[in-house]
Amino acid sequence: MNIRTSTEVAAALADGTPVVALESTITSKMGLPSPYNRECFDRVNAAIRATGAVPAVTAVINGELWAGIESHHETMVLAAEEKLAERDLPVAMSAKRTGVTTVSATVTIAGLAGIGVFATGGIGGVHRGAELSFDVSSDLGAMSRHPVIVVSAGAKAFLDLPKTLEVLETLSVPVIGYQTDQFPAFWSRSSGLGLSHRVESAAEIAAIARANTTVGWRGGMLVANPIPREAEIPAAEIADAIATALVEAEQVGAIGPKATPKILAAIAAATNSRSIPANLALAESNARLAGEIAGALLRD
Ligand code: PSU
Ligand code: MN
């Protein structure tokens, strides 16, 4: 197989220890400003370990796909400046480039490595104004084609969340609320949009994943895990910051792959950095739940 894994991840996959994939864009400068990107990296890795699972950070290093980097790669991966989505992987491989992976690239690599659970912050989705810009994240299509459970705090609130849910339905990606009836909005526990499916435990998520295999579903599913209550930013406050950030991103012409990093940075500025601890807390909480799901998948 054309996938490299750390010695630890290779051993875990071989002996049936749970493994959780992690993306690397959120822990690059495009996801969080330094030093919070390193703090996020350390906290999500520790949260997965605390559940007894092994973290597998995905990245592309000198053209090779890694599912579980070695510790000597960490500094380079945290500093990498190229954001790679699924379609960028073949180009980065042939040109022997180094870059960080988005959700779409991570589910691709995790699927190839046989890792069935992945924790992120928030998935990409349908951008506001997509009816004119056509900006729909490749994360959505990738989740429908790779058999990986994605644990996220919903989708980022600057997206068009109703349209994001519609596209997930069109693509047949199950969306499961973890201890919630509503789709979370990243910094806030709820978007006000109802979900059809709710579970209370990691074991129920594992059972749904197994049933998906029984019905022949070859794609993944989205687990929507609301941000911890104590870290939540009230929806009205974040709404103002989002409005400011979207105007700023438009003024500097941040479109395509540059849009999400620019909007995230502008929201951090507009909230006096309050968005950052919220982002760290939700990523950590998603990592913990993903570790529990990976354990439940192997146990029962
Ligand atoms: N969530 C975060 N920070 C991020 C991202 C998500 O809290 O940096 C990244 C993820 O890697 C996601 C990507 O896959 O943004 C989506 O980018 P785009 O909208 O260009 O598809
Ligand atoms: Mn896009």
Side-chain angles (χ1 to χ4, degrees), residues 82-101:
E82 191 172 5
K83 172 184 168 189
L84 302 171
E86 179 179 24
R87 69 165 185 172
D88 304 317
L89 294 176
V91 181
M93 290 163 78
S94 65
K96 304 209 179 323
R97 296 214 292 257
T98 295
V100 288
T101 47

Side-chain angles (χ1 to χ4, degrees), residues 32-120:
L32 285 161
S34 175
Y36 302 106
N37 63 330
R38 169 49 95 166
E39 183 182 339
C40 184
F41 185 93
D42 291 340
R43 281 171 61 179
V44 294
N45 277 277
I48 290 168
R49 289 190 189 285
T51 67
V54 171
V57 175
T58 64
V60 180
I61 303 173
N62 299 323
E64 291 187 303
L65 306 184
W66 283 79
I69 59 173
E70 299 285 7
S71 50
H72 67 265
H73 294 134
E74 286 176 11
T75 311
M76 178 178 41
V77 168
L78 286 161
E81 294 192 0
E82 191 172 5
K83 172 184 168 189
L84 302 171
E86 179 179 24
R87 69 165 185 172
D88 304 317
L89 294 176
V91 181
M93 290 163 78
S94 65
K96 304 209 179 323
R97 296 214 292 257
T98 295
V100 288
T101 47
T102 66
V103 169
S104 71
T106 301
V107 292
T108 307
I109 295 173
L112 286 167
I115 300 170
V117 187
F118 157 42
T120 182

Side-chain angles (χ1 to χ4, degrees), residues 83 124-125 127 133-139 159 255-260:
K83 172 184 168 189
H127 283 255
S133 69
F134 277 45
D135 191 347
V136 178
S137 175
S138 63
D139 292 354
L159 297 166
I255 57 165
K258 295 207 172 1
T260 293

Side-chain angles (χ1 to χ4, degrees), residues 182-203:
Q182 307 224 327
F183 193 53
F186 201 67
W187 297 281
S188 317
R189 287 179 59 83
S190 176
S191 60
L193 299 165
L195 291 177
S196 319
H197 307 298
R198 171 190 177 130
V199 298
E200 306 302 324
S201 68

